[in-house]
Amino acid sequence: MNNIPDSSEAEKDHRLIILDTETTGINPREGHRIVEIGCVEMVNRQLTGRTFHAYIKPLDQRGNVFEMEQEVINIHGLTNEFLNDKPIFSQVVHEFIDFIRGAELVIHNSKFDVGFMDHEFSLFNSMNRSQDKVPMTEDICTITDTLKVSKEKLGSPKTLDYLARFYRVDKLIDRTYHGALIDAQLLAFVYIEMTRLQSTLDFSVGDGSNTDVNAIRRLPSTRNKLKVIAASADELDAHADRVAVIAKKGGEPLWK
């Protein structure tokens, strides 16, 4: 289920979890459940290779298998038959929480995904003893919603498909279906491009006491001089021939 190389040192740094879910419908209050969770880890804006991925057999309010409608199946490609032998949410909940705990979650339309996650956590808590309660999402993670970020940057909320095309990363992932892990991987590339200008650039000089990034940076007079490579005789002749061709065609070369 997980691809988890050793990252004990990396986790000391800023940790992002790019997350997406697939569900049986759009409203958990109508009994809809999560059927897939996909998470991709980034540390200091770099993909680490760590992922969490789980397919989940959905149950209805009576504990029977939830039968999805074909319209929903057409979106994510997960059939009732495929999910029938997968674990139920309570069997993956602790592993999932351990993976995301303490991270900043990056989600496109976080209201949807977090709403389903908290619904699943609440159902788990209602069925278990008090000592086995799990927290809600915002109790263990901070959340960045790229839907809101897209509105701030582009003037209106944009879909993940739009952002992938806008930032030219749409060809990096095969998205025949909207799988949770596939969409999380795509969102990771979108997030990197979307927030690239937010990266901190260090313009300080000397001992670092100058913190004004708009200040003019003067190079020391003792610096090494730039090496100037002069054109060879053959290169000068070729340049003269090219300028003559441009002039013959009626142009006015700038480099005479």
Side-chain angles (χ1 to χ4, degrees):
M1 185 180 301
N2 294 338
N3 174 23
I4 308 180
D6 182 18
S7 64
S8 57
E9 291 300 319
E11 288 189 2
K12 295 178 182 178
D13 297 321
H14 185 58
R15 183 169 178 259
L16 300 175
I17 297 296
I18 319 301
L19 181 148
D20 188 61
T21 65
E22 297 295 340
T23 65
T24 63
I26 62 173
N27 191 346
R29 295 182 179 179
E30 296 177 356
H32 290 291
R33 305 292 299 271
I34 291 176
V35 294
E36 185 185 6
I37 302 172
C39 300
V40 176
E41 182 188 63
M42 297 176 69
V43 174
N44 294 338
R45 296 176 55 80
Q46 299 293 321
L47 292 168
T48 67
R50 297 184 75 217
T51 62
F52 176 91
H53 184 222
Y55 293 113
I56 299 166
K57 178 169 66 176
L59 302 180
D60 62 21
Q61 294 176 346
R62 297 182 179 180
N64 300 318
V65 176
F66 189 107
E67 295 292 330
M68 289 183 292
E69 297 180 359
Q70 188 60 44
E71 182 180 3
V72 177
I73 295 174
N74 291 341
I75 295 174
H76 51 53
L78 302 177
T79 65
N80 296 305
E81 293 75 18
F82 175 80
L83 296 172
N84 191 53
D85 63 349
K86 302 302 183 286
I88 60 177
F89 188 83
S90 62
Q91 293 174 303
V92 304
V93 61
H94 291 298
E95 190 176 6
F96 173 50
I97 288 177
D98 287 344
F99 189 82
I100 66 173
R101 187 186 298 275
E104 175 186 349
L105 299 184
V106 177
I107 307 173
H108 198 71
N109 191 11
S110 63
K111 183 178 180 180
F112 177 88
D113 297 271
V114 173
F116 266 95
M117 289 161 58
D118 285 346
H119 178 68
E120 295 284 0
F121 295 156
S122 296
L123 288 176
F124 177 83
N125 288 340
S126 67
M127 295 184 296
N128 289 275
R129 299 184 302 273
S130 59
Q131 61 267 32
D132 198 26
K133 301 292 185 182
V134 298
M136 297 296 104
T137 306
E138 291 190 346
D139 294 331
I140 57 173
C141 301
T142 57
I143 301 168
T144 293
D145 190 341
T146 50
L147 188 69
K148 295 180 180 178
V149 177
S150 69
K151 181 178 180 180
E152 295 170 358
K153 286 184 168 291
L154 303 176
S156 62
K158 303 297 183 183
T159 65
L160 179 57
D161 288 333
Y162 177 94
L163 293 173
R165 293 192 299 270
F166 181 83
Y167 290 110
R168 299 182 180 179
V169 297
D170 54 311
K171 305 301 183 184
L172 299 179
I173 303 291
D174 180 9
R175 297 178 74 225
T176 304
Y177 292 106
H178 290 268
L181 185 59
I182 292 172
D183 282 2
Q185 291 169 337
L186 183 64
L187 182 57
F189 291 121
V190 166
Y191 178 80
I192 291 171
E193 295 301 319
M194 178 183 286
T195 60
R196 186 175 296 279
L197 294 179
Q198 295 178 5
S199 300
T200 301
L201 300 178
D202 184 7
F203 291 100
S204 61
V205 296
D207 60 1
S209 59
N210 180 9
T211 58
D212 183 1
V213 297
N214 295 314
I216 296 175
R217 183 180 179 186
R218 302 187 183 280
L219 298 176
S221 59
T222 56
R223 71 186 185 279
N224 293 331
K225 293 184 178 180
L226 295 177
K227 184 177 180 180
V228 178
I229 301 177
S232 67
D234 289 340
E235 290 171 334
L236 290 173
D237 289 341
H239 176 70
D241 291 341
R242 183 59 182 169
V243 169
V245 170
I246 296 174
K248 185 176 181 180
K249 293 184 177 182
E252 296 182 3
L254 298 176
W255 304 278
K256 298 181 180 179

